[in-house]
Amino acid sequence: MSENIKTYEAEGIIIYWKPNICKHAAECVKGLPSVFNTQNRPWISPQNATAKKVMEVIDRCPSRALTYEQK
Ligand code: SF4
């Protein structure tokens, strides 16, 4: 079974999001609304904050639906 993974790139970071395991706990949306905003398409805009800040918030994702790789 192939896993559904979406990717979002910006300076210094690649974000991976797995919609199938997202629990919609909204830690990301509350933690950094300039980047994680479900009203936007795409809903993740990693260029709107520093890679360091984005990584801090992703580390709080309880389901690990969000992960990242540093470029
Ligand atoms: S913090 Fe993780 S589980 Fe919660 S809404 Fe964001 S991606 Fe989904």
Side-chain angles (χ1 to χ4, degrees):
M1 197 175 81
S2 69
E3 203 172 17
N4 187 11
I5 304 178
K6 307 243 186 260
T7 62
Y8 308 84
E9 278 194 62
E11 187 73 36
I13 191 167
I14 307 172
I15 298 174
Y16 302 97
W17 180 58
K18 297 175 187 165
N20 297 345
I21 64 168
C22 176
K23 297 273 187 274
H24 305 287
E27 285 299 325
C28 54
V29 176
K30 281 184 279 183
L32 198 53
S34 61
V35 171
F36 302 98
N37 185 335
T38 56
Q39 306 300 310
N40 294 340
R41 291 292 177 272
W43 79 282
I44 300 177
S45 310
Q47 71 280 3
N48 289 347
T50 62
K52 183 173 179 285
K53 188 70 197 163
V54 171
M55 288 185 270
E56 273 172 28
V57 172
I58 288 177
D59 285 339
R60 286 187 233 149
C61 174
S63 66
R64 305 301 293 146
L66 281 172
T67 53
Y68 59 80
E69 200 177 302
Q70 283 180 272
K71 287 203 282 185

